[in-house]
Amino acid sequence: MTTDTDTAGSSIRLERVRKQYKRQDGPAVDDLDLTIEAGEIVAFVGPSGCGKTTTLKMINRLVEPTSGRIYIGDRDVTDEDPDRLRQSIGYVIQSGGLFPHWTVERNIGAIPRVLGWDKATIAQRTEELLRLVGLDPDEFGDRLPKDMSGGQQQRVGVARALAADPPVLLMDEPFSAVDPITRVRLQDSLIEIQKKVGKTIVIVTHDFEEATKLGDKVVIFSKGGHVEQYGTPAEILANPATDFVKEFIGSGATLAQLTLTRVKDVELEAVTTATVNEPSEVVVDRARVASSSWVVVVDERGRPRAWPSVEEIASVPLVSAYVDTRLPVVAPSSTLQDALDVMLAANQGGALVTNGEGTLIGWLRIGRVIDIIRGQLDEAQPDEIGYTEYAATEGGQTATDGGAP
Ligand SMILES: Nc1ncnc2c1ncn2[C@@H]1O[C@H](COP(=O)(O)OP(=O)(O)OP(=O)(O)O)[C@@H](O)[C@H]1O
């Protein structure tokens, strides 16, 4: 499939696309014109039943358009053999949609096998993809989906969708079935993966915050697949195009501003690190010099294992090998809202920040996040007349009128 220059992705163009399901009054999608630029992530949002999924599924022809034309890159795919088309478009659905009786390796190799790739190439590609989505091939390659968490299954789902290196990836509510903390991690992984693969990604979500976090652009649909607004998250939040958009983003708009500020935009605090079995005395001294009250124990690749206080470190002679599975960890691409959620869930006054390889790069203090949120709320709120000013002007009684009972 042809791809546009400078990116591994292809543009997608819908021209007057319409879908009328049988025995339905109006069309689910009515004369939709939409162009998605190559290499961008575009999120579809809108109320239930507005035609997001129908639009997505018309791109890979899981739903046949009633009329209109669809182009991927410069190719008109409207009449192309749907099976062949689907081999060149990655598709990720809720809960991964893996074949339950197939191992992870077999699942990922599904399309390459259909395409007739040789065994060695498939094995190599599978390993590369598992690493890309953050799973150790030796640990997970032979597993069955039921022996993995929902988040891990979804990572395999993404690996499988990327197996044949398609220029386009379609994702239908991919992260809606996992818990909020796992969702943040999967979203951050997707941003990290996209930096490496540069595909064109279309993602359907019912969550406006997820749309603004993931989407380079967001499409807000109303009933019938009508585009109310198509723009960057910042544009939509700053200038909602219609009353429908205003109402849709509604009270969430101020909070959604928080999704525009990322952890990478904030100056991080330095951390004192220690490794397992290091003499505690040495670590305590190091922490004192750095004025740190907390120490992050990291593994040989700099990945955090635990986050004890200096007192806890000092209470034993050597740094313990304890692994804390509930550490609050965020990525540079995480939003401040994610960071806050993670901190609150872990009941901690801060979050550790790791890069795409999971290596610790600093920590973010809750006070810093709150300061930024306060600043944003002040900016977002129109100047309001305060109670006293109101009372002293035309709106209220003056003090001499008697006052409160
Ligand atoms: N297979 C189908 N047969 C008949 N009508 C359908 C079919 N699939 C969807 N529809 C109808 O088409 C309209 C658009 O549905 P669609 O699933 O595309 O919306 P959506 O925006 O993705 O909704 P949701 O957020 O609830 O998933 C709805 O009115 C729905 O009832």
Side-chain angles (χ1 to χ4, degrees):
M1 185 165 290
T2 50
T3 56
D4 299 54
T5 48
D6 300 335
T7 155
S10 291
S11 60
I12 304 169
R13 189 152 54 91
L14 278 65
E15 244 179 47
R16 305 207 64 184
V17 169
R18 181 182 163 89
K19 177 65 191 180
Q20 172 72 58
Y21 288 108
K22 286 191 191 111
R23 293 180 294 280
Q24 295 289 313
D25 287 344
V29 174
D30 194 9
D31 280 351
L32 172 63
D33 285 310
L34 187 70
T35 299
I36 293 166
E37 304 291 341
E40 285 196 337
I41 302 185
V42 172
F44 288 178
V45 272
S48 182
C50 66
K52 306 178 290 288
T53 301
T54 300
T55 304
L56 188 84
K57 286 183 174 172
M58 286 195 288
I59 299 172
N60 66 359
R61 303 258 307 286
L62 280 172
V63 168
E64 286 294 345
T66 310
S67 59
R69 309 231 54 97
I70 297 174
Y71 299 85
I72 293 191
D74 50 13
R75 221 169 92 195
D76 183 344
V77 299
T78 327
D79 301 315
E80 200 169 281
D81 170 45
D83 286 336
R84 215 189 120 219
L85 176 68
R86 285 198 280 276
Q87 285 159 14
S88 62
I89 296 181
Y91 185 48
V92 182
I93 58 170
Q94 214 182 75
S95 310
L98 302 175
F99 299 113
H101 305 299
W102 287 10
T103 63
V104 163
E105 273 170 4
R106 198 154 170 232
N107 264 288
I108 296 176
I111 290 184
R113 274 199 305 281
V114 172
L115 294 174
W117 292 19
D118 65 75
K119 269 192 179 154
T121 315
I122 296 177
Q124 195 191 346
R125 178 76 181 146
T126 304
E127 191 178 324
E128 179 186 312
L129 284 164
L130 278 171
R131 288 194 200 288
L132 178 73
V133 299
L135 295 175
D136 180 350
D138 295 330
E139 194 179 341
F140 291 99
D142 291 332
R143 289 225 197 156
L144 288 174
K146 70 173 172 56
D147 300 327
M148 303 172 81
S149 72
Q152 289 163 343
Q153 289 183 37
Q154 199 52 295
R155 286 174 191 272
V156 176
V158 172
R160 185 178 61 173
L162 290 170
D165 206 14
V168 169
L169 194 60
L170 306 180
M171 308 182 89
D172 196 354
E173 303 239 12
F175 309 138
S176 56
V178 293
D179 66 84
I181 301 296
T182 306
R183 186 177 314 142
V184 168
R185 299 226 169 120
L186 290 172
Q187 290 166 344
D188 288 321
S189 289
L190 181 67
I191 293 170
E192 226 15 80
I193 291 167
Q194 169 67 347
K195 269 197 228 148
K196 293 181 187 144
V197 298
K199 304 292 181 190
T200 307
I201 300 178
V202 186
I203 178 163
V204 167
T205 167
H206 61 267
D207 178 358
F208 182 61
E209 279 152 27
E210 178 167 85
T212 55
K213 176 177 177 185
L214 294 177
D216 295 307
K217 298 213 181 91
V218 174
V219 183
I220 299 187
F221 286 105
S222 59
K223 197 170 182 310
H226 176 72
V227 176
E228 293 283 337
Q229 190 163 9
Y230 181 17
T232 63
E235 279 163 9
I236 293 175
L237 285 166
N239 291 307
T242 62
D243 287 344
F244 178 93
V245 175
K246 254 186 228 159
E247 196 170 323
F248 182 74
I249 63 182
S251 54
T254 310
L255 275 182
Q257 292 278 356
L258 293 180
T259 64
L260 299 181
T261 311
R262 309 284 168 142
V263 169
K264 66 175 183 304
D265 303 327
V266 181
E267 210 180 310
L268 301 180
E269 321 253 344
V271 279
T272 298
T273 58
T275 48
V276 174
N277 286 336
E278 211 180 337
S280 298
E281 250 174 72
V282 178
V283 177
V284 170
D285 280 349
R286 198 157 63 228
R288 290 229 169 91
V289 171
S291 309
S292 306
S293 320
W294 300 84
V295 173
V296 184
V297 182
V298 294
D299 68 10
E300 68 288 351
R301 282 160 59 188
R303 295 174 302 191
R305 303 167 60 99
W307 198 6
S309 64
V310 173
E311 290 75 38
E312 283 171 297
I313 291 277
S315 66
V316 283
L318 297 177
V319 173
S320 124
Y322 171 69
V323 176
D324 183 351
T325 52
R326 293 174 45 91
L327 278 181
V329 178
V330 291
S333 59
S334 299
T335 66
L336 288 196
Q337 189 168 355
D338 293 337
L340 205 53
D341 287 347
V342 164
M343 291 174 199
L344 295 175
N347 209 4
Q348 295 249 20
L352 299 174
V353 184
T354 58
N355 65 15
E357 277 70 52
T359 307
L360 182 70
I361 53 176
W363 78 284
L364 182 60
R365 200 186 277 278
I366 197 166
R368 184 89 189 91
V369 179
I370 290 171
D371 285 347
I372 295 170
I373 292 172
R374 200 174 284 137
Q376 286 181 341
L377 288 174
D378 285 349
E379 257 174 51
Q381 264 158 17
D383 285 342
E384 281 172 13
I385 299 182
Y387 177 83
T388 332
E389 288 154 281
Y390 176 83
T393 57
E394 75 273 15
Q397 299 164 320
T398 57
T400 50
D401 285 334

